[in-house]
Amino acid sequence: MNNSSEFQIAPFSDLDYEGMTVEIRYKGIPIAELNKDKGLDACELVIPSRFSPVDATFELPLDAFLETLNSAKLLIAELG
């Protein structure tokens, strides 16, 4: 099975931020938003948290998060 085919990306913005945010879904379930409100070079990945107060989110710098995910993938590969 191709896991990437289970992901969907769709524009997700209110009128004030039209074109600034996309929503990432996995198997149709929203899991994150990518926001370029601070500019394309400073994108933030917003991941809603089920374990925090209502409407709380984690906001992460995209490039650092991607680098960390890549490092985690390399580490897990080394662990066998």
Side-chain angles (χ1 to χ4, degrees):
M1 173 182 270
N2 182 354
N3 287 336
S4 64
S5 67
E6 296 186 12
F7 284 92
Q8 301 90 37
I9 301 171
F12 179 79
S13 300
D14 61 24
L15 293 176
D16 293 333
Y17 293 98
E18 188 171 348
M20 301 292 278
T21 304
V22 294
E23 182 175 77
I24 302 166
R25 300 178 191 136
Y26 182 68
K27 296 182 179 180
I29 300 168
I31 59 168
E33 296 172 12
L34 184 60
N35 182 312
K36 65 175 184 178
D37 187 40
K38 296 177 183 172
L40 194 54
D41 291 335
C43 283
E44 291 181 329
L45 184 66
V46 179
I47 303 172
S49 172
R50 295 180 184 179
F51 305 109
S52 297
V54 177
D55 294 328
T57 59
F58 295 109
E59 294 184 1
L60 308 168
L62 178 62
D63 291 340
F65 185 66
L66 291 174
E67 183 177 321
T68 300
L69 285 176
N70 218 13
S71 295
K73 185 177 179 181
L74 292 173
L75 176 61
I76 205 166
E78 290 176 7
L79 296 174

